[in-house]
Amino acid sequence: RYQPILHLDLDSNPDSVEKFCNDLIKLIQENEKTTRKDASTVRVQSLGPQAIDIACNLYWDTASGTEEKELKQNFLLDVMRMAKSLELHFFEPRLRRQE
């Protein structure tokens, strides 16, 4: 089971956030290593004071730590690519945008 929480910038376009969540769950369900597809989710968890929190819940069938690390890396790189294609930015507390 893998449960990353992704933090998007509060200025994100809601339609892009929704597409991001839908595209991620599709990616998870299409992965041949994913099990419990009906229990896998990607949803907006909260609108915090600094970020939009996206909670992911997914399950992989893997017997080795090395393969698990590879699956996580591939997933996170795909997350980055999807965010970039939708012009979404991850929350970075050290950087404050100038108004």
Side-chain angles (χ1 to χ4, degrees):
R1 185 176 190 181
Y2 183 43
Q3 295 181 293
I5 296 181
L6 311 170
H7 307 284
L8 297 176
D9 188 283
L10 277 173
D11 291 333
S12 298
N13 179 316
D15 294 332
S16 295
V17 173
E18 184 175 37
K19 180 163 177 37
F20 178 74
C21 291
N22 291 339
D23 289 352
L24 275 182
I25 195 63
K26 183 177 178 185
L27 177 81
I28 290 166
Q29 292 177 344
E30 290 176 351
N31 186 316
E32 66 184 26
K33 291 290 186 175
T34 299
T35 61
R36 299 189 62 192
K37 294 180 183 193
D38 59 327
S40 296
T41 60
V42 178
R43 297 281 186 261
V44 174
Q45 176 177 313
S46 65
L47 297 176
Q50 297 180 315
I52 301 166
D53 297 331
I54 309 293
C56 305
N57 183 55
L58 54 143
Y59 302 83
W60 286 314
D61 179 20
T62 179
S64 79
T66 301
E67 183 181 36
E68 181 181 357
K69 288 176 183 159
E70 184 176 320
L71 286 166
K72 285 180 180 180
Q73 173 180 291
N74 291 341
F75 175 76
L76 292 172
L77 290 172
D78 285 339
V79 164
M80 291 173 64
R81 288 181 190 105
M82 283 185 181
K84 187 173 182 89
S85 73
L86 293 167
E87 298 181 4
L88 294 171
H89 302 281
F90 294 100
F91 170 69
E92 174 52 67
R94 295 174 294 171
L95 300 176
R96 299 302 302 171
R97 290 187 190 193
Q98 298 295 328
E99 296 292 325

